[in-house]
Amino acid sequence: MAESHTVKNIPCEACHVSKEKMETPTITQCQQCHNLDVLVKQTESVKPRNPHFSPHYQNKLECSNCHIGHEPSENFCGQCHNFDFKVP
Ligand code: HEC
Ligand code: HEC
Ligand code: HEC
Ligand code: HEC
């Protein structure tokens, strides 16, 4: 996921804030470029459920639960549901 950004010349700091402390980016960082309302709409028709909106977390689940960063993505909902998500 992160690599698809760096190839577009998006700097490390866009997600990590500071080059000195590479902390796990929060939703606040991602949100600066990915409007949450737009995102929820974009994946509205994903089956079996919208990964960006749930009764538990609404649209507030930390992105890095699924879009891990520099490692393969994960299907966070899959811990409890049989949702067959392919997370980019
Ligand atoms: C699109 C956002 C994004 C960009 C751009 C990005 N990262 Fe990350 N990075 C992440 C996320 C998300 C994690 C957290 C992974 C996790 O939760 O385990 C992370 C984690 C890290 C970590 C902590 C070690 C690890 O893998 O958990 C380091 C170090 C790091 N990134 C370095 C960089 C460097 C250097 C760059 C620039 C070349 C960069 N990142 C660009 C999203 C990004
Ligand atoms: C500086 C702006 C910027 C930031 C910050 C940013 N993104 Fe992106 N992201 C983009 C752009 C631009 C694209 C490409 C959109 C396109 O091609 O339509 C993209 C594409 C994506 C994609 C789909 C492409 C793929 O397969 O990787 C995902 C998933 C994504 N971003 C997740 C995240 C997450 C999670 C974070 C926070 C850790 C984040 N982004 C932070 C600008 C950003
Ligand atoms: C529960 C897991 C999960 C979480 C949390 C999550 N995503 Fe996603 N994301 C997905 C899945 C699955 C897809 C692929 C949807 C599809 O099949 O088109 C996706 C696709 C995307 C895309 C590409 C959208 C497109 O045009 O198809 C972007 C951008 C993105 N996510 C950004 C984010 C951002 C930003 C956050 C945090 C606000 C986030 N995601 C949180 C699972 C997740
Ligand atoms: C820790 C376990 C857990 C996780 C993680 C989890 N869920 Fe759930 N979810 C439940 C339980 C328990 C119910 C209530 C039982 C039911 O009604 O099926 C539920 C109910 C739901 C429902 C309403 C019932 C339905 O099937 O229509 C939706 C929609 C849903 N979850 C979506 C999600 C999405 C999307 C994610 C990931 C972002 C997620 N859940 C993550 C446990 C979880």
Side-chain angles (χ1 to χ4, degrees):
M1 182 279 294
E3 282 62 37
S4 72
H5 290 73
T6 24
V7 297
K8 291 197 164 69
N9 293 320
I10 293 174
C12 316
E13 296 89 327
C15 291
H16 289 291
V17 187
S18 147
K19 215 165 191 159
E20 280 67 54
K21 287 197 293 162
M22 289 286 176
E23 289 173 349
T24 297
T26 62
I27 192 169
T28 312
Q29 251 50 60
C30 312
Q31 223 176 320
Q32 292 181 351
C33 299
H34 299 286
N35 179 284
L36 294 187
D37 294 331
V38 173
L39 183 65
V40 168
K41 270 220 163 328
Q42 264 173 348
T43 53
E44 212 165 35
S45 55
V46 169
K47 301 285 179 239
R49 297 288 172 195
N50 190 344
H52 296 129
F53 192 92
S54 66
H56 322 294
Y57 321 102
Q58 289 79 47
N59 61 356
K60 302 276 184 306
L61 183 63
E62 283 293 341
C63 316
S64 60
N65 282 306
C66 293
H67 304 287
I68 303 286
H70 310 268
E71 281 159 45
S73 297
E74 277 177 21
N75 173 7
F76 181 83
C77 317
Q79 299 171 66
C80 305
H81 295 281
N82 290 321
F83 297 165
D84 181 25
F85 289 145
K86 301 276 176 292
V87 190

